């Protein structure tokens, strides 16, 4: 203390339970809080199952004094703050006959001074708060009790046999409605969650169920609220909910029925499986329903080996190919399903095809592969010989299994090709024994049967380069099959200058190339119809690079009536009236005529969208006026060029006049 103070205080009561002052209930306790944070602690012998109140009278101001209650282990178990006007004091209950502690404390410096307190015994709790001292409640009787204080909890022990659905109802005076919570013999809360006025549950274990009664939240510590407990039998459970009490089944094609009583229910079945055999448990969609119950399949160790959730308009199925002889369990649960069900346990026998290359079924192509994917993990494997350079095609033609995945493995077991959408095509780079696998994809994975056409398509039907191109003969259709996206089928025909062609490609797209230069063509329609007007004699290569199965047809549609360049010009004289045809937008008709210098001439093509150009002997353009008139400046052979100036793409007739 500072030297300015001449007086030192000696604390009248200890500040911790270990220094507590012994007192008796109903006896006045006095003392003084000398300074801020001073706490005076008192001890007394509390009697089991009895309620107590600790309250004090203090000098003004009263706001802010704090009461504490410590149990026999000297752990704080209750707190109350005294307000002005004074509150209700500190209420607590002794769970056993033991030394208990109470204290008063000042948290603020201005609240100091004398006090007088008292511990008051309020009476005995009618029902214990713990499971070890729970009050017995026999089914068929009504249990009664009183929640004396807001901190009260009454616990009842209720012996029940498994196999029925119950509801516990608690009735009390309004507004303080009583709340109940039920704990099973294995310690689970049924149903889980916060306490409610009623609790419905499924008694899946035989034994003692604990029912806890509390009051809805209240700020009033003293209640003295009476209540009654009722136990209602809702219905019996047709099948047990646990593995140890599962209903035993014998495999049969005949279905059996049962009922799921809402989210509380789970029906469990068991069967003994023989090593290597396949078992399927399937539930139908009943009339008036949209799905079947959810299923889980467990082995003897409780590990889940398969599951099936309810789905719109589809039954549920679990299956297993058993690695060892032993017990298996099937759990039917609520999910979105509530009500009756119809299910069957079937022994499907042994797996129809092995799951790996070692156990694969040997086949020769062509053939039809049939099988049954009995489980979601099942793989049906087939072994066959491949030859280098040959193409193998597998295509599903029908199935009841969903989302089938096709896989091909080489002789070393490496995955070389995967086929989605039920088809697989492979060109073998070697001669060896390969394994073809059929399995369920990872999406819906519903077991079922399949039928797959397996064909050896032989070598590639057409070469992929100009050097290996297939000869395309006019008038003779050629069919093809692109077995993969990288496959390019190449055809060739010997184009003749002045000859006009049309190329049809049904189910494909093509590109045209020629070593002599650009291929003049017009794409006229889809499927592809292409008009070809060669500039010169030479090969034209047709490459099919889009499509699957297709047909190509080349036709000769005519001969160009006049040459397209000065080297193939048609000689003419004047005066001249000549009828001709421009066969395509690319066509140019060239004429040669000897003209003297200085003599005016006129050329035109009345009534048609042609453009006329005149070249002098040196190849330079000669100016033409709007009426077609021109005057040669050099004597010699001039060339007249006719070409389309707009208009249609094909077959435009014209009249050429030169005078």
């Amino acid at each position: 203390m500072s030297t300015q103070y001449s007086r030192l205080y000696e604390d009248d009561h200890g500040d911790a339970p270990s220094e507590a002052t012994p007192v008796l209930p109903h006896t006045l306790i006095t003392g003084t809080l000398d300074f801020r944070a001073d706490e005076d602690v008192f001890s007394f012998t509390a009697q089991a199952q009895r309620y107590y109140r600790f309250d004090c009278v203090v000098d003004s101001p009263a706001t802010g004094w704090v009461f504490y209650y410590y149990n026999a282990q000297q752990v704080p178990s209750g707190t109350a703050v005294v307000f002005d006007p004074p509150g209700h004091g500190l209420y607590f209950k002794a769970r056993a006959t033991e030394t208990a502690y109470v204290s008063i404390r000042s948290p603020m410096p201005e609240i100091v001074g004398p006090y007088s307190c008292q511990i008051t015994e309020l009476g005995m709790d009618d029902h214990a708060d713990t499971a070890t001292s729970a009050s017995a409640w026999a089914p068929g009787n009504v249990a009664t009790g009183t929640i004396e204080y807001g901190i009260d909890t009454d616990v009842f022990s209720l012996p029940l046999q498994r196999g029925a659905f119950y509801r516990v109802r608690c009735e009390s005076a309004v507004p303080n409605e009583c709340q109940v919570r039920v704990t099973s013999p294995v310690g689970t809360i049924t149903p889980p969650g916060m306490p409610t006025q009623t609790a419905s549950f499924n008694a899946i274990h035989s034994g003692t169920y604990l029912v806890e009664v509390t009051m809805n939240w209240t700020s009033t510590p003293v209640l003295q609220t009476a209540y009654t407990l009722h136990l209602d039998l809702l219905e019996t459970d047709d099948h047990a909910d646990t593995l140890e009490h599962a209903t035993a089944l014998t495999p049969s094609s005949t279905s059996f029925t049962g009922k799921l009583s809402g989210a509380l229910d789970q029906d469990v079945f068991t069967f003994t499986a023989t090593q290597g055999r396949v078992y399927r448990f399937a539930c139908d969609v009943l009339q008036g329903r949209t799905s079947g119950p959810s299923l889980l399949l467990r082995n003897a160790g409780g590990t889940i080996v398969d599951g099936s959730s309810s789905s719109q308009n589809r039954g549920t199925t679990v299956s297993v190919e058993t690695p060892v002889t032993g017990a298996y369990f099937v759990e039917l649960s609520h999910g979105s399903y509530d009500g009756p069900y119809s299910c069957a346990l079937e022994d499907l026998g042994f797996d129809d095809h092995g799951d790996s290359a070692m156990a694969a079924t040997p086949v020769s192509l062509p053939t039809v592969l049939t099988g049954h994917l009995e489980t979601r993990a099942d793989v049906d494997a087939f072994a066959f010989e491949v030859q280098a350079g040959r193409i193998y095609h597998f295509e599903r033609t029908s199935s009841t299994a969903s989302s089938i995945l096709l896989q091909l493995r080489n002789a070393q077991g490496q995955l070389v090709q995967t086929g989605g959408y039920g088809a697989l095509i492979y060109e073998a780079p070697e001669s060896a024994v390969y394994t073809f696998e059929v399995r369920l994809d990872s999406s819906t994975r519903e077991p079922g049967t399949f039928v797959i056409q397996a064909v050896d398509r032989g070598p590639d039907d057409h070469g992929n380069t100009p050097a290996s191109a297939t000869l395309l003969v006019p008038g003779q259709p050629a069919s093809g099959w692109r077995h993969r996206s990288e496959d390019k089928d190449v055809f060739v025909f010997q184009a003749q200058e002045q000859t006009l062609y049309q190329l049809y490609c049904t189910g494909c797209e093509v590109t045209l190339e020629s070593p002599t230069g650009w291929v003049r063509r017009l794409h006229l329609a889809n499927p592809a119809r292409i008009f070809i007007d060669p500039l010169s004699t030479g090969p034209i290569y047709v490459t099919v690079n889009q499509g699957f199965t297709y047909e190509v047809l080349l036709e000769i549609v005519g001969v160009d009536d006049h040459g397209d360049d000065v080297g193939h010009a048609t000689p003419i004289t004047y005066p001249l009236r000549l009828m001709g045809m421009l066969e395509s937008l690319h066509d140019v008709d060239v004429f040669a005529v000897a003209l003297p210098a200085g003599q005016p001439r006129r050329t035109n093509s009345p009534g048609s969208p042609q453009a006329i150009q005149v070249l002098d002997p040196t190849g330079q353009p000669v100016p033409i006026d709007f009426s077609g008139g021109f005057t040669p400046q050099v004597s010699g052979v001039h060339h007249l060029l006719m070409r389309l100036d707009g208009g249609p793409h094909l077959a435009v007739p014209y009249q050429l006049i030169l005078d």
Side-chain angles (χ1 to χ4, degrees), residues 1 5-12 32-35 38 112-113:
M1 301 291 290
Y5 292 99
S6 59
R7 176 183 172 193
L8 297 178
Y9 291 95
E10 181 177 352
D11 197 0
D12 51 355
T32 301
L33 292 180
D34 303 296
F35 51 87
D38 186 18
V112 294

Side-chain angles (χ1 to χ4, degrees), residues 504-589:
Y504 299 86
C505 187
T506 304
C508 59
E509 295 181 9
V510 299
T511 56
L512 303 177
E513 298 175 292
S514 176
T516 61
W518 180 63
V519 179
R520 295 197 307 181
R521 71 268 192 151
L522 291 172
H523 196 155
L524 301 179
N526 283 316
R529 180 165 68 92
I530 302 173
F531 179 86
I532 303 172
D533 184 3
L535 278 170
S536 59
T537 298
I540 293 180
Y541 295 96
V542 180
T543 302
V544 179
N545 48 33
Q546 293 289 334
F548 185 56
T549 59
Y550 62 88
E551 183 178 86
V552 178
L553 175 63
L554 180 70
E555 290 183 344
I556 298 175
V557 295
V559 177
D560 196 356
D561 53 354
H562 300 287
D564 293 356
D565 54 42
V566 296
H568 300 86
T570 300
I572 60 174
T573 59
Y574 66 94
L576 173 73
R577 284 181 178 272
L578 179 145
M579 299 299 297
M581 180 78 71
L582 290 176
E583 283 79 14
S584 78
L585 185 63
H586 299 303
D587 191 19
V588 180
D589 285 358

Side-chain angles (χ1 to χ4, degrees), residues 353 360-370 381-385 394 433-434 436 454:
H353 300 288
T361 301
V363 295
S364 297
L365 274 55
T367 188
V368 176
L369 305 177
T370 60
F382 303 88
F384 67 103
E385 292 186 2
F394 301 85
V433 175
Y434 276 42
F436 176 71

Side-chain angles (χ1 to χ4, degrees), residues 135-452:
S135 300
W137 179 22
N141 295 335
V142 173
T144 61
T146 301
I147 298 295
E148 291 89 355
Y149 300 95
I151 61 174
D152 190 16
T153 298
D154 288 354
V155 181
F156 296 85
S157 61
L158 179 65
L160 295 175
Q161 296 296 314
R162 66 173 183 86
F165 298 92
Y166 295 94
R167 178 178 60 223
V168 172
R169 293 182 290 117
C170 186
E171 297 179 353
S172 61
V174 179
N176 295 320
E177 295 180 347
C178 56
Q179 309 287 300
V180 293
R181 185 169 69 172
V182 180
T183 305
S184 75
V186 297
T188 57
I189 306 299
T190 55
M194 299 296 292
T196 56
Q197 192 171 4
T198 63
S200 298
F201 62 97
N202 184 6
I204 63 177
H205 299 280
S206 296
T208 299
Y209 288 74
L210 298 178
V211 180
E212 297 182 5
V213 182
T214 57
M215 295 305 295
N216 199 0
W217 183 88
T218 176
S219 60
T220 304
V222 181
L223 298 178
Q224 299 298 324
T225 301
Y227 62 84
T228 57
L229 285 179
H230 304 266
L231 179 67
D232 302 323
L233 173 63
L234 302 179
E235 63 177 314
T236 58
D237 193 4
D238 54 353
H239 297 287
D241 295 54
T242 59
L243 302 186
E244 60 266 30
H245 299 113
T247 301
L249 294 177
T250 301
S252 171
S253 59
T254 303
S255 60
F256 63 90
T257 60
K259 179 184 177 183
L260 286 175
S261 300
L264 299 175
D265 197 10
Q266 174 176 282
D267 289 356
V268 183
F269 301 89
T270 184
F271 63 94
T272 301
T274 302
Q275 180 180 4
R277 298 185 72 84
V278 179
Y279 297 87
R280 178 178 64 193
F281 190 100
C283 297
D284 299 325
V285 177
L286 298 181
Q287 185 175 4
R289 298 278 175 171
T290 59
S291 64
S294 297
L295 304 178
L296 280 181
L297 179 64
R298 299 180 185 271
N299 61 19
T303 302
I304 297 175
V305 296
D306 196 13
S308 179
S309 299
S310 59
S311 182
Q312 191 77 7
N313 298 320
R314 178 174 58 82
T316 44
T317 302
V318 289
S319 52
V320 63
E321 182 180 352
T322 54
V324 295
T325 298
Y328 281 81
F329 301 89
V330 181
E331 300 174 3
L332 280 74
S333 60
H334 171 69
S336 60
Y337 194 92
D338 181 14
Y341 57 80
S342 177
C343 306
L345 172 68
E346 296 180 85
D347 181 348
L348 301 182
F350 294 100
D351 194 0
D352 54 351
H353 300 288
D355 294 354
S356 64
M358 295 291 293
T361 301
V363 295
S364 297
L365 274 55
T367 188
V368 176
L369 305 177
T370 60
H372 186 186
L373 296 174
E374 294 93 349
T375 72
R376 290 179 173 82
D378 190 18
V379 179
D380 281 0
F382 303 88
F384 67 103
E385 292 186 2
V386 300
Q387 295 182 19
R390 298 181 73 85
I391 300 169
Y392 299 89
H393 183 198
F394 301 85
E395 184 171 7
R396 181 185 64 182
T397 58
S398 67
S399 80
T400 61
S402 64
S403 302
I404 281 182
L405 183 67
L406 310 181
Q407 294 182 328
L408 189 64
R409 298 185 183 274
N410 61 18
Q412 291 74 42
Q414 299 167 326
L415 183 64
V416 296
Q417 187 83 17
T418 298
Y421 306 104
L424 184 149
I425 303 170
Y426 182 73
E427 184 175 354
E430 61 178 344
S431 296
V433 175
Y434 276 42
T435 304
F436 176 71
E437 298 176 347
V438 184
R439 65 174 70 223
L440 292 174
D441 201 356
S442 58
S443 54
T444 53
R445 294 173 58 84
E446 287 301 319
T449 61
F450 61 84
V451 178
I452 295 173

